[in-house]
Amino acid sequence: MSLVFLLWACFSVLPVAAEQHMTFRSELHQTRYQSLVAELRCPKCQNQNLADSESSIALDLRQQVHFMIEEGKTDQEVVDYMVARYGTFVLYRPPHSSATFLLWYGPFILLAIGLITFFVVVITNRKRKGQPR
């Protein structure tokens, strides 16, 4: 029983320990890493970024981001790699396209429809009150 617990403890600590040993060539690389893992969404988890997720795929992707930054890739190249592999789902800010048109502009369209409806109802009621019976 204690052997099982020991194995479980070792395997549960390994991913965290592996991440704690990430070293960066410069403070800028570490800042870029933290910014990217906070900006990219975990493909497995719901509404968690790579920094917050404890899933194994998030750990792998954090290591991939670290590797690519240390390899000299730009932030855009890292993001392009993630999008090519997992789609735009990994982005918290999806790009403007026809597929995301309603996502970006739908609330404004609904607001405009609501305002137009409101003014039409107000004007109609004023005209109705002004007419002799």
Side-chain angles (χ1 to χ4, degrees):
M1 181 68 176
S2 63
L3 179 63
V4 172
F5 177 73
L6 182 63
L7 287 174
W8 174 81
C10 287
F11 285 112
S12 65
V13 172
L14 279 178
V16 175
E19 189 165 321
Q20 289 176 348
H21 293 294
M22 283 186 182
T23 57
F24 296 91
R25 282 190 285 169
S26 70
E27 192 72 26
L28 177 63
H29 284 188
Q30 186 171 5
T31 303
R32 288 179 51 213
Y33 168 81
Q34 290 168 345
S35 173
L36 282 169
V37 297
E39 185 177 322
L40 294 170
R41 180 183 301 182
C42 173
K44 182 179 178 184
C45 307
Q46 292 291 325
N47 289 330
Q48 280 190 317
N49 58 22
L50 292 181
D52 293 338
S53 176
E54 295 296 329
S55 70
S56 59
I57 192 167
L59 174 65
D60 291 343
L61 292 178
R62 285 193 297 261
Q63 290 174 344
Q64 181 66 29
V65 169
H66 175 260
F67 175 74
M68 291 179 79
I69 287 174
E70 291 300 315
E71 199 176 48
K73 302 286 186 189
T74 64
D75 289 358
Q76 188 60 48
E77 288 173 328
V78 173
V79 170
D80 289 345
Y81 171 82
M82 295 295 174
V83 169
R85 201 160 176 201
Y86 299 102
T88 56
F89 176 78
V90 296
L91 301 174
Y92 272 115
R93 289 176 283 153
H96 294 260
S97 68
S98 60
T100 60
F101 178 81
L102 283 179
L103 176 69
W104 283 103
Y105 302 107
F108 299 110
I109 293 170
L110 289 176
L111 179 65
I113 290 171
L115 286 173
I116 291 170
T117 303
F118 175 76
F119 287 117
V120 166
V121 168
V122 168
I123 292 171
T124 303
N125 283 341
R126 282 187 182 173
K127 285 182 181 178
R128 194 178 303 157
K129 286 182 179 178
Q131 291 179 351
R133 293 183 186 181

